[in-house]
Structures are given as structure tokens and as C-alpha cells.
Amino acid sequence: MTTNSGPPYSSYRRRRSLRLLGHDYSEPYAYHIIWGTHRAIPALVDEIAACVANVIEATAPRARAEVLEYCVMPDHVHMLLVPAVGGDVIRFVQQVKSLAAREYLARGGSGRLWQRGFYDHMARHEEDVAAMARYIVGNPVRAGMVEDSSAYPFARIFPSDAGVPSS
């Protein structure tokens, strides 16, 4: 007879990292990054959405990240990026979230803007990058916000000569 000395393993009330253990996030792979607003509140609209887009654009060169594509939805952000030499995905996302939260508060927002952390998926093949790009571009269309992804104002889409379809 075996005795159980306690409950089975549980991650209840434990914060676990969403990052790959031992992975170097400065490696030059394409990453699909997603982070959401706190409690999925649709705070990223109009002026705030434009502000987040501007922060992404302004932070990328300083953080040594090449942002291939992004889409600011009302309750989350999608981004496809590649860290340049000396860049780091984690630091870039932290900087964007921090700067955007400050702007949000300065524009009259209150409370927390972002959820803790972010989700990432590293592309392993060129096909994965194209699929990620199509998924990101399609977000506002799937949400019924626009009929054509190019009409969505809070996104940056691959140029047509980049080899990745824009819709």
C-alpha cells in the first residue's frame, strides 16, 4: 500500500516562465509574438492603438529588432520580428510594453494595461514565416473590423516585394 504525502504536482499559484528554458532570444530567427491587455480589456482602440503602433515603430531600431509585421488589436498585439545583432526579443517586448503603458497612463488610462509576459513562437522554416504573416494580417478581417487587411490603420504589413502575401 502506498501513501500519498500530499496532492499531486500542481502549478496552482505558481508563476511559470513562458520562455523556452535555455533558449537565446537574441538568435536571428523570426518570432511571432503575442501579448494581451490585462484581463482582455479592449483598451487598444483609436488614440491608444495608434500610440502602441508608434511605440513599436520607434523602439525597434533602438532595440535592434527588425519588425517585419505587427497588428494592434483592441485586446492584444501580434508581431513578427527578427532580432538584429545585439538585439533581444525579450528586452524589446519589455521596452514596448513599458513605454506604451506610460503613454496609456499619460493619456488618461488607469490601472494595468498589459497581461504579464507574452507568448512566442519561433519560425523554423521560411514557410512558417509566410503562414505567420498571413495569420497576423488576417486578424482584423477575421474579427470583422475591416473587409481588407490593408484598410486596418493599426498594423504594418509586409511590403508586396518581400515575398510574403499581404492577404
Side-chain angles (χ1 to χ4, degrees), residues 16-52:
R16 295 191 318 174
S17 176
L18 300 172
R19 309 289 68 84
L20 292 171
L21 186 62
H23 180 70
D24 180 1
Y25 282 86
S26 65
E27 292 181 11
Y29 295 106
Y31 293 88
H32 178 191
I33 306 295
I34 307 166
W35 70 87
T37 59
H38 182 64
R39 296 189 177 166
I41 295 168
L44 308 178
V45 294
D46 302 327
E47 181 184 4
I48 302 301
C51 174
V52 172

PDB file of all heavy atoms in Angstrom, residues 16-52:
ATOM      1  N   ARG A  16       4.988  30.406 -13.781  1.00  0.00           N
ATOM      2  CA  ARG A  16       5.997  29.694 -14.560  1.00  0.00           C
ATOM      3  C   ARG A  16       6.322  30.526 -15.784  1.00  0.00           C
ATOM      4  O   ARG A  16       5.453  31.157 -16.374  1.00  0.00           O
ATOM      5  CB  ARG A  16       5.485  28.321 -14.963  1.00  0.00           C
ATOM      6  CG  ARG A  16       5.260  27.447 -13.745  1.00  0.00           C
ATOM      7  CD  ARG A  16       5.001  26.022 -14.060  1.00  0.00           C
ATOM      8  NE  ARG A  16       4.124  25.805 -15.187  1.00  0.00           N
ATOM      9  CZ  ARG A  16       3.869  24.613 -15.685  1.00  0.00           C
ATOM     10  NH1 ARG A  16       4.413  23.548 -15.159  1.00  0.00           N
ATOM     11  NH2 ARG A  16       3.058  24.473 -16.713  1.00  0.00           N
ATOM     12  N   SER A  17       7.579  30.499 -16.156  1.00  0.00           N
ATOM     13  CA  SER A  17       8.022  31.263 -17.310  1.00  0.00           C
ATOM     14  C   SER A  17       7.425  30.692 -18.586  1.00  0.00           C
ATOM     15  O   SER A  17       7.290  29.478 -18.731  1.00  0.00           O
ATOM     16  CB  SER A  17       9.545  31.230 -17.404  1.00  0.00           C
ATOM     17  OG  SER A  17       9.965  31.893 -18.570  1.00  0.00           O
ATOM     18  N   LEU A  18       7.078  31.571 -19.500  1.00  0.00           N
ATOM     19  CA  LEU A  18       6.587  31.151 -20.803  1.00  0.00           C
ATOM     20  C   LEU A  18       7.741  30.971 -21.787  1.00  0.00           C
ATOM     21  O   LEU A  18       7.532  30.549 -22.908  1.00  0.00           O
ATOM     22  CB  LEU A  18       5.619  32.206 -21.360  1.00  0.00           C
ATOM     23  CG  LEU A  18       4.386  32.473 -20.524  1.00  0.00           C
ATOM     24  CD1 LEU A  18       3.612  33.662 -21.073  1.00  0.00           C
ATOM     25  CD2 LEU A  18       3.504  31.249 -20.468  1.00  0.00           C
ATOM     26  N   ARG A  19       8.948  31.334 -21.395  1.00  0.00           N
ATOM     27  CA  ARG A  19      10.111  31.258 -22.275  1.00  0.00           C
ATOM     28  C   ARG A  19      10.679  29.843 -22.315  1.00  0.00           C
ATOM     29  O   ARG A  19      10.577  29.080 -21.359  1.00  0.00           O
ATOM     30  CB  ARG A  19      11.232  32.194 -21.798  1.00  0.00           C
ATOM     31  CG  ARG A  19      10.825  33.639 -21.539  1.00  0.00           C
ATOM     32  CD  ARG A  19      10.498  34.462 -22.787  1.00  0.00           C
ATOM     33  NE  ARG A  19       9.323  34.092 -23.513  1.00  0.00           N
ATOM     34  CZ  ARG A  19       8.071  34.470 -23.241  1.00  0.00           C
ATOM     35  NH1 ARG A  19       7.813  35.227 -22.217  1.00  0.00           N
ATOM     36  NH2 ARG A  19       7.075  34.075 -23.983  1.00  0.00           N
ATOM     37  N   LEU A  20      11.307  29.521 -23.448  1.00  0.00           N
ATOM     38  CA  LEU A  20      11.986  28.239 -23.590  1.00  0.00           C
ATOM     39  C   LEU A  20      13.232  28.228 -22.708  1.00  0.00           C
ATOM     40  O   LEU A  20      14.071  29.122 -22.812  1.00  0.00           O
ATOM     41  CB  LEU A  20      12.406  28.019 -25.044  1.00  0.00           C
ATOM     42  CG  LEU A  20      11.296  27.804 -26.059  1.00  0.00           C
ATOM     43  CD1 LEU A  20      11.874  27.815 -27.467  1.00  0.00           C
ATOM     44  CD2 LEU A  20      10.586  26.501 -25.785  1.00  0.00           C
ATOM     45  N   LEU A  21      13.335  27.254 -21.864  1.00  0.00           N
ATOM     46  CA  LEU A  21      14.461  27.152 -20.962  1.00  0.00           C
ATOM     47  C   LEU A  21      15.765  27.031 -21.749  1.00  0.00           C
ATOM     48  O   LEU A  21      15.906  26.186 -22.618  1.00  0.00           O
ATOM     49  CB  LEU A  21      14.293  25.929 -20.045  1.00  0.00           C
ATOM     50  CG  LEU A  21      15.318  25.757 -18.943  1.00  0.00           C
ATOM     51  CD1 LEU A  21      15.264  26.947 -17.979  1.00  0.00           C
ATOM     52  CD2 LEU A  21      15.067  24.471 -18.187  1.00  0.00           C
ATOM     53  N   GLY A  22      16.684  27.927 -21.491  1.00  0.00           N
ATOM     54  CA  GLY A  22      17.997  27.884 -22.128  1.00  0.00           C
ATOM     55  C   GLY A  22      18.052  28.437 -23.544  1.00  0.00           C
ATOM     56  O   GLY A  22      19.107  28.432 -24.157  1.00  0.00           O
ATOM     57  N   HIS A  23      16.938  28.925 -24.070  1.00  0.00           N
ATOM     58  CA  HIS A  23      16.946  29.460 -25.443  1.00  0.00           C
ATOM     59  C   HIS A  23      17.491  30.884 -25.437  1.00  0.00           C
ATOM     60  O   HIS A  23      17.171  31.685 -24.576  1.00  0.00           O
ATOM     61  CB  HIS A  23      15.541  29.447 -26.043  1.00  0.00           C
ATOM     62  CG  HIS A  23      15.492  29.992 -27.436  1.00  0.00           C
ATOM     63  ND1 HIS A  23      16.029  29.325 -28.514  1.00  0.00           N
ATOM     64  CD2 HIS A  23      15.004  31.158 -27.923  1.00  0.00           C
ATOM     65  CE1 HIS A  23      15.859  30.056 -29.603  1.00  0.00           C
ATOM     66  NE2 HIS A  23      15.236  31.171 -29.271  1.00  0.00           N
ATOM     67  N   ASP A  24      18.308  31.185 -26.423  1.00  0.00           N
ATOM     68  CA  ASP A  24      18.882  32.517 -26.572  1.00  0.00           C
ATOM     69  C   ASP A  24      17.977  33.332 -27.497  1.00  0.00           C
ATOM     70  O   ASP A  24      17.943  33.114 -28.710  1.00  0.00           O
ATOM     71  CB  ASP A  24      20.289  32.407 -27.165  1.00  0.00           C
ATOM     72  CG  ASP A  24      20.969  33.750 -27.346  1.00  0.00           C
ATOM     73  OD1 ASP A  24      20.364  34.785 -26.999  1.00  0.00           O
ATOM     74  OD2 ASP A  24      22.108  33.749 -27.841  1.00  0.00           O
ATOM     75  N   TYR A  25      17.220  34.257 -26.932  1.00  0.00           N
ATOM     76  CA  TYR A  25      16.263  35.049 -27.694  1.00  0.00           C
ATOM     77  C   TYR A  25      16.904  36.184 -28.494  1.00  0.00           C
ATOM     78  O   TYR A  25      16.215  37.033 -29.019  1.00  0.00           O
ATOM     79  CB  TYR A  25      15.162  35.591 -26.773  1.00  0.00           C
ATOM     80  CG  TYR A  25      14.140  34.528 -26.446  1.00  0.00           C
ATOM     81  CD1 TYR A  25      14.318  33.653 -25.393  1.00  0.00           C
ATOM     82  CD2 TYR A  25      13.008  34.384 -27.233  1.00  0.00           C
ATOM     83  CE1 TYR A  25      13.387  32.669 -25.113  1.00  0.00           C
ATOM     84  CE2 TYR A  25      12.065  33.410 -26.964  1.00  0.00           C
ATOM     85  CZ  TYR A  25      12.262  32.553 -25.902  1.00  0.00           C
ATOM     86  OH  TYR A  25      11.338  31.577 -25.634  1.00  0.00           O
ATOM     87  N   SER A  26      18.234  36.165 -28.587  1.00  0.00           N
ATOM     88  CA  SER A  26      18.902  37.119 -29.460  1.00  0.00           C
ATOM     89  C   SER A  26      19.306  36.451 -30.774  1.00  0.00           C
ATOM     90  O   SER A  26      19.854  37.093 -31.655  1.00  0.00           O
ATOM     91  CB  SER A  26      20.130  37.712 -28.765  1.00  0.00           C
ATOM     92  OG  SER A  26      21.094  36.703 -28.530  1.00  0.00           O
ATOM     93  N   GLU A  27      19.012  35.148 -30.914  1.00  0.00           N
ATOM     94  CA  GLU A  27      19.327  34.449 -32.163  1.00  0.00           C
ATOM     95  C   GLU A  27      18.448  34.992 -33.283  1.00  0.00           C
ATOM     96  O   GLU A  27      17.284  35.300 -33.067  1.00  0.00           O
ATOM     97  CB  GLU A  27      19.122  32.945 -31.992  1.00  0.00           C
ATOM     98  CG  GLU A  27      20.124  32.318 -31.049  1.00  0.00           C
ATOM     99  CD  GLU A  27      19.932  30.816 -30.901  1.00  0.00           C
ATOM    100  OE1 GLU A  27      19.161  30.226 -31.684  1.00  0.00           O
ATOM    101  OE2 GLU A  27      20.558  30.245 -30.004  1.00  0.00           O
ATOM    102  N   PRO A  28      19.001  35.107 -34.481  1.00  0.00           N
ATOM    103  CA  PRO A  28      18.279  35.768 -35.588  1.00  0.00           C
ATOM    104  C   PRO A  28      17.227  34.885 -36.259  1.00  0.00           C
ATOM    105  O   PRO A  28      17.311  34.577 -37.442  1.00  0.00           O
ATOM    106  CB  PRO A  28      19.402  36.132 -36.553  1.00  0.00           C
ATOM    107  CG  PRO A  28      20.412  35.058 -36.337  1.00  0.00           C
ATOM    108  CD  PRO A  28      20.356  34.735 -34.871  1.00  0.00           C
ATOM    109  N   TYR A  29      16.226  34.478 -35.512  1.00  0.00           N
ATOM    110  CA  TYR A  29      15.085  33.749 -36.052  1.00  0.00           C
ATOM    111  C   TYR A  29      13.903  34.709 -36.120  1.00  0.00           C
ATOM    112  O   TYR A  29      13.870  35.710 -35.422  1.00  0.00           O
ATOM    113  CB  TYR A  29      14.699  32.574 -35.140  1.00  0.00           C
ATOM    114  CG  TYR A  29      15.741  31.504 -35.041  1.00  0.00           C
ATOM    115  CD1 TYR A  29      16.514  31.362 -33.903  1.00  0.00           C
ATOM    116  CD2 TYR A  29      15.942  30.609 -36.095  1.00  0.00           C
ATOM    117  CE1 TYR A  29      17.470  30.371 -33.799  1.00  0.00           C
ATOM    118  CE2 TYR A  29      16.905  29.602 -35.992  1.00  0.00           C
ATOM    119  CZ  TYR A  29      17.656  29.493 -34.851  1.00  0.00           C
ATOM    120  OH  TYR A  29      18.598  28.513 -34.761  1.00  0.00           O
ATOM    121  N   ALA A  30      12.924  34.369 -36.923  1.00  0.00           N
ATOM    122  CA  ALA A  30      11.679  35.134 -36.926  1.00  0.00           C
ATOM    123  C   ALA A  30      10.813  34.608 -35.790  1.00  0.00           C
ATOM    124  O   ALA A  30      10.680  33.398 -35.600  1.00  0.00           O
ATOM    125  CB  ALA A  30      10.955  34.971 -38.257  1.00  0.00           C
ATOM    126  N   TYR A  31      10.268  35.524 -35.002  1.00  0.00           N
ATOM    127  CA  TYR A  31       9.411  35.174 -33.876  1.00  0.00           C
ATOM    128  C   TYR A  31       8.034  35.795 -34.061  1.00  0.00           C
ATOM    129  O   TYR A  31       7.924  36.983 -34.380  1.00  0.00           O
ATOM    130  CB  TYR A  31       9.986  35.715 -32.565  1.00  0.00           C
ATOM    131  CG  TYR A  31      11.278  35.088 -32.144  1.00  0.00           C
ATOM    132  CD1 TYR A  31      12.499  35.595 -32.589  1.00  0.00           C
ATOM    133  CD2 TYR A  31      11.300  33.998 -31.284  1.00  0.00           C
ATOM    134  CE1 TYR A  31      13.698  35.028 -32.190  1.00  0.00           C
ATOM    135  CE2 TYR A  31      12.492  33.424 -30.877  1.00  0.00           C
ATOM    136  CZ  TYR A  31      13.684  33.941 -31.332  1.00  0.00           C
ATOM    137  OH  TYR A  31      14.869  33.380 -30.942  1.00  0.00           O
ATOM    138  N   HIS A  32       7.004  34.993 -33.850  1.00  0.00           N
ATOM    139  CA  HIS A  32       5.637  35.522 -33.782  1.00  0.00           C
ATOM    140  C   HIS A  32       5.374  35.752 -32.296  1.00  0.00           C
ATOM    141  O   HIS A  32       5.361  34.823 -31.503  1.00  0.00           O
ATOM    142  CB  HIS A  32       4.643  34.513 -34.354  1.00  0.00           C
ATOM    143  CG  HIS A  32       3.222  34.979 -34.267  1.00  0.00           C
ATOM    144  ND1 HIS A  32       2.174  34.132 -34.526  1.00  0.00           N
ATOM    145  CD2 HIS A  32       2.659  36.176 -33.967  1.00  0.00           C
ATOM    146  CE1 HIS A  32       1.039  34.790 -34.389  1.00  0.00           C
ATOM    147  NE2 HIS A  32       1.312  36.026 -34.045  1.00  0.00           N
ATOM    148  N   ILE A  33       5.183  37.004 -31.934  1.00  0.00           N
ATOM    149  CA  ILE A  33       4.997  37.409 -30.544  1.00  0.00           C
ATOM    150  C   ILE A  33       3.550  37.865 -30.368  1.00  0.00           C
ATOM    151  O   ILE A  33       3.019  38.581 -31.222  1.00  0.00           O
ATOM    152  CB  ILE A  33       5.935  38.593 -30.193  1.00  0.00           C
ATOM    153  CG1 ILE A  33       7.388  38.258 -30.519  1.00  0.00           C
ATOM    154  CG2 ILE A  33       5.758  39.025 -28.757  1.00  0.00           C
ATOM    155  CD1 ILE A  33       7.985  37.159 -29.715  1.00  0.00           C
ATOM    156  N   ILE A  34       2.935  37.456 -29.269  1.00  0.00           N
ATOM    157  CA  ILE A  34       1.569  37.877 -28.949  1.00  0.00           C
ATOM    158  C   ILE A  34       1.522  38.253 -27.477  1.00  0.00           C
ATOM    159  O   ILE A  34       2.024  37.506 -26.632  1.00  0.00           O
ATOM    160  CB  ILE A  34       0.544  36.755 -29.181  1.00  0.00           C
ATOM    161  CG1 ILE A  34       0.664  36.179 -30.583  1.00  0.00           C
ATOM    162  CG2 ILE A  34      -0.881  37.250 -28.904  1.00  0.00           C
ATOM    163  CD1 ILE A  34      -0.073  34.869 -30.760  1.00  0.00           C
ATOM    164  N   TRP A  35       0.948  39.426 -27.187  1.00  0.00           N
ATOM    165  CA  TRP A  35       0.659  39.737 -25.791  1.00  0.00           C
ATOM    166  C   TRP A  35      -0.677  40.444 -25.728  1.00  0.00           C
ATOM    167  O   TRP A  35      -1.121  41.059 -26.687  1.00  0.00           O
ATOM    168  CB  TRP A  35       1.776  40.530 -25.121  1.00  0.00           C
ATOM    169  CG  TRP A  35       1.957  41.941 -25.554  1.00  0.00           C
ATOM    170  CD1 TRP A  35       1.312  43.036 -25.059  1.00  0.00           C
ATOM    171  CD2 TRP A  35       2.862  42.442 -26.543  1.00  0.00           C
ATOM    172  NE1 TRP A  35       1.753  44.175 -25.678  1.00  0.00           N
ATOM    173  CE2 TRP A  35       2.703  43.839 -26.594  1.00  0.00           C
ATOM    174  CE3 TRP A  35       3.779  41.850 -27.386  1.00  0.00           C
ATOM    175  CZ2 TRP A  35       3.436  44.640 -27.457  1.00  0.00           C
ATOM    176  CZ3 TRP A  35       4.500  42.646 -28.241  1.00  0.00           C
ATOM    177  CH2 TRP A  35       4.330  44.016 -28.265  1.00  0.00           C
ATOM    178  N   GLY A  36      -1.329  40.300 -24.592  1.00  0.00           N
ATOM    179  CA  GLY A  36      -2.678  40.833 -24.453  1.00  0.00           C
ATOM    180  C   GLY A  36      -2.775  41.914 -23.404  1.00  0.00           C
ATOM    181  O   GLY A  36      -1.867  42.137 -22.615  1.00  0.00           O
ATOM    182  N   THR A  37      -3.922  42.557 -23.415  1.00  0.00           N
ATOM    183  CA  THR A  37      -4.204  43.550 -22.393  1.00  0.00           C
ATOM    184  C   THR A  37      -4.599  42.838 -21.102  1.00  0.00           C
ATOM    185  O   THR A  37      -5.020  41.677 -21.120  1.00  0.00           O
ATOM    186  CB  THR A  37      -5.343  44.487 -22.829  1.00  0.00           C
ATOM    187  OG1 THR A  37      -6.512  43.709 -23.085  1.00  0.00           O
ATOM    188  CG2 THR A  37      -4.958  45.299 -24.042  1.00  0.00           C
ATOM    189  N   HIS A  38      -4.460  43.533 -20.008  1.00  0.00           N
ATOM    190  CA  HIS A  38      -4.831  42.985 -18.700  1.00  0.00           C
ATOM    191  C   HIS A  38      -6.315  42.612 -18.711  1.00  0.00           C
ATOM    192  O   HIS A  38      -7.160  43.429 -19.077  1.00  0.00           O
ATOM    193  CB  HIS A  38      -4.529  44.028 -17.617  1.00  0.00           C
ATOM    194  CG  HIS A  38      -4.816  43.571 -16.239  1.00  0.00           C
ATOM    195  ND1 HIS A  38      -4.146  42.530 -15.640  1.00  0.00           N
ATOM    196  CD2 HIS A  38      -5.712  44.009 -15.331  1.00  0.00           C
ATOM    197  CE1 HIS A  38      -4.610  42.350 -14.422  1.00  0.00           C
ATOM    198  NE2 HIS A  38      -5.564  43.241 -14.212  1.00  0.00           N
ATOM    199  N   ARG A  39      -6.589  41.376 -18.365  1.00  0.00           N
ATOM    200  CA  ARG A  39      -7.961  40.846 -18.313  1.00  0.00           C
ATOM    201  C   ARG A  39      -8.711  40.988 -19.642  1.00  0.00           C
ATOM    202  O   ARG A  39      -9.924  41.083 -19.673  1.00  0.00           O
ATOM    203  CB  ARG A  39      -8.742  41.490 -17.184  1.00  0.00           C
ATOM    204  CG  ARG A  39      -8.145  41.151 -15.836  1.00  0.00           C
ATOM    205  CD  ARG A  39      -8.999  41.589 -14.710  1.00  0.00           C
ATOM    206  NE  ARG A  39      -8.369  41.138 -13.462  1.00  0.00           N
ATOM    207  CZ  ARG A  39      -8.701  41.565 -12.287  1.00  0.00           C
ATOM    208  NH1 ARG A  39      -9.682  42.446 -12.154  1.00  0.00           N
ATOM    209  NH2 ARG A  39      -8.088  41.117 -11.220  1.00  0.00           N
ATOM    210  N   ALA A  40      -7.950  41.032 -20.733  1.00  0.00           N
ATOM    211  CA  ALA A  40      -8.503  41.107 -22.094  1.00  0.00           C
ATOM    212  C   ALA A  40      -9.438  42.301 -22.299  1.00  0.00           C
ATOM    213  O   ALA A  40     -10.361  42.251 -23.109  1.00  0.00           O
ATOM    214  CB  ALA A  40      -9.201  39.795 -22.469  1.00  0.00           C
ATOM    215  N   ILE A  41      -9.171  43.371 -21.581  1.00  0.00           N
ATOM    216  CA  ILE A  41      -9.971  44.586 -21.731  1.00  0.00           C
ATOM    217  C   ILE A  41      -9.616  45.234 -23.071  1.00  0.00           C
ATOM    218  O   ILE A  41      -8.441  45.424 -23.374  1.00  0.00           O
ATOM    219  CB  ILE A  41      -9.709  45.558 -20.561  1.00  0.00           C
ATOM    220  CG1 ILE A  41     -10.204  44.930 -19.260  1.00  0.00           C
ATOM    221  CG2 ILE A  41     -10.374  46.906 -20.802  1.00  0.00           C
ATOM    222  CD1 ILE A  41      -9.751  45.655 -18.014  1.00  0.00           C
ATOM    223  N   PRO A  42     -10.592  45.587 -23.901  1.00  0.00           N
ATOM    224  CA  PRO A  42     -10.311  46.183 -25.208  1.00  0.00           C
ATOM    225  C   PRO A  42      -9.888  47.654 -25.103  1.00  0.00           C
ATOM    226  O   PRO A  42     -10.609  48.563 -25.505  1.00  0.00           O
ATOM    227  CB  PRO A  42     -11.633  46.025 -25.963  1.00  0.00           C
ATOM    228  CG  PRO A  42     -12.666  45.985 -24.890  1.00  0.00           C
ATOM    229  CD  PRO A  42     -12.021  45.344 -23.695  1.00  0.00           C
ATOM    230  N   ALA A  43      -8.696  47.867 -24.573  1.00  0.00           N
ATOM    231  CA  ALA A  43      -8.189  49.224 -24.331  1.00  0.00           C
ATOM    232  C   ALA A  43      -7.423  49.794 -25.513  1.00  0.00           C
ATOM    233  O   ALA A  43      -7.152  50.990 -25.551  1.00  0.00           O
ATOM    234  CB  ALA A  43      -7.282  49.217 -23.098  1.00  0.00           C
ATOM    235  N   LEU A  44      -7.072  48.956 -26.488  1.00  0.00           N
ATOM    236  CA  LEU A  44      -6.219  49.388 -27.594  1.00  0.00           C
ATOM    237  C   LEU A  44      -7.066  49.823 -28.782  1.00  0.00           C
ATOM    238  O   LEU A  44      -7.137  49.142 -29.814  1.00  0.00           O
ATOM    239  CB  LEU A  44      -5.263  48.261 -27.990  1.00  0.00           C
ATOM    240  CG  LEU A  44      -4.444  47.648 -26.853  1.00  0.00           C
ATOM    241  CD1 LEU A  44      -3.583  46.513 -27.378  1.00  0.00           C
ATOM    242  CD2 LEU A  44      -3.619  48.703 -26.149  1.00  0.00           C
ATOM    243  N   VAL A  45      -7.723  50.953 -28.624  1.00  0.00           N
ATOM    244  CA  VAL A  45      -8.555  51.499 -29.696  1.00  0.00           C
ATOM    245  C   VAL A  45      -8.146  52.944 -29.968  1.00  0.00           C
ATOM    246  O   VAL A  45      -7.601  53.622 -29.099  1.00  0.00           O
ATOM    247  CB  VAL A  45     -10.063  51.418 -29.352  1.00  0.00           C
ATOM    248  CG1 VAL A  45     -10.529  49.969 -29.278  1.00  0.00           C
ATOM    249  CG2 VAL A  45     -10.373  52.142 -28.060  1.00  0.00           C
ATOM    250  N   ASP A  46      -8.404  53.378 -31.167  1.00  0.00           N
ATOM    251  CA  ASP A  46      -8.194  54.761 -31.591  1.00  0.00           C
ATOM    252  C   ASP A  46      -6.824  55.298 -31.191  1.00  0.00           C
ATOM    253  O   ASP A  46      -5.812  54.769 -31.620  1.00  0.00           O
ATOM    254  CB  ASP A  46      -9.328  55.658 -31.068  1.00  0.00           C
ATOM    255  CG  ASP A  46     -10.696  55.180 -31.550  1.00  0.00           C
ATOM    256  OD1 ASP A  46     -10.763  54.653 -32.669  1.00  0.00           O
ATOM    257  OD2 ASP A  46     -11.678  55.309 -30.802  1.00  0.00           O
ATOM    258  N   GLU A  47      -6.789  56.331 -30.358  1.00  0.00           N
ATOM    259  CA  GLU A  47      -5.534  57.004 -29.994  1.00  0.00           C
ATOM    260  C   GLU A  47      -4.558  56.064 -29.296  1.00  0.00           C
ATOM    261  O   GLU A  47      -3.354  56.122 -29.543  1.00  0.00           O
ATOM    262  CB  GLU A  47      -5.845  58.205 -29.087  1.00  0.00           C
ATOM    263  CG  GLU A  47      -4.609  58.976 -28.685  1.00  0.00           C
ATOM    264  CD  GLU A  47      -4.901  60.104 -27.703  1.00  0.00           C
ATOM    265  OE1 GLU A  47      -6.059  60.256 -27.262  1.00  0.00           O
ATOM    266  OE2 GLU A  47      -3.946  60.827 -27.384  1.00  0.00           O
ATOM    267  N   ILE A  48      -5.063  55.185 -28.451  1.00  0.00           N
ATOM    268  CA  ILE A  48      -4.173  54.263 -27.724  1.00  0.00           C
ATOM    269  C   ILE A  48      -3.579  53.236 -28.687  1.00  0.00           C
ATOM    270  O   ILE A  48      -2.390  52.910 -28.608  1.00  0.00           O
ATOM    271  CB  ILE A  48      -4.916  53.574 -26.559  1.00  0.00           C
ATOM    272  CG1 ILE A  48      -5.479  54.609 -25.576  1.00  0.00           C
ATOM    273  CG2 ILE A  48      -4.014  52.574 -25.845  1.00  0.00           C
ATOM    274  CD1 ILE A  48      -4.441  55.534 -24.953  1.00  0.00           C
ATOM    275  N   ALA A  49      -4.367  52.720 -29.609  1.00  0.00           N
ATOM    276  CA  ALA A  49      -3.849  51.774 -30.596  1.00  0.00           C
ATOM    277  C   ALA A  49      -2.779  52.432 -31.464  1.00  0.00           C
ATOM    278  O   ALA A  49      -1.729  51.837 -31.729  1.00  0.00           O
ATOM    279  CB  ALA A  49      -4.981  51.236 -31.464  1.00  0.00           C
ATOM    280  N   ALA A  50      -3.039  53.665 -31.888  1.00  0.00           N
ATOM    281  CA  ALA A  50      -2.048  54.395 -32.686  1.00  0.00           C
ATOM    282  C   ALA A  50      -0.778  54.627 -31.879  1.00  0.00           C
ATOM    283  O   ALA A  50       0.337  54.524 -32.412  1.00  0.00           O
ATOM    284  CB  ALA A  50      -2.637  55.719 -33.156  1.00  0.00           C
ATOM    285  N   CYS A  51      -0.934  54.917 -30.601  1.00  0.00           N
ATOM    286  CA  CYS A  51       0.211  55.133 -29.721  1.00  0.00           C
ATOM    287  C   CYS A  51       1.057  53.856 -29.613  1.00  0.00           C
ATOM    288  O   CYS A  51       2.282  53.905 -29.706  1.00  0.00           O
ATOM    289  CB  CYS A  51      -0.290  55.570 -28.345  1.00  0.00           C
ATOM    290  SG  CYS A  51       1.016  55.692 -27.137  1.00  0.00           S
ATOM    291  N   VAL A  52       0.414  52.711 -29.423  1.00  0.00           N
ATOM    292  CA  VAL A  52       1.141  51.436 -29.336  1.00  0.00           C
ATOM    293  C   VAL A  52       1.884  51.169 -30.646  1.00  0.00           C
ATOM    294  O   VAL A  52       3.053  50.779 -30.630  1.00  0.00           O
ATOM    295  CB  VAL A  52       0.188  50.276 -28.976  1.00  0.00           C
ATOM    296  CG1 VAL A  52       0.894  48.930 -29.081  1.00  0.00           C
ATOM    297  CG2 VAL A  52      -0.380  50.457 -27.570  1.00  0.00           C
TER     298      VAL A  52
END
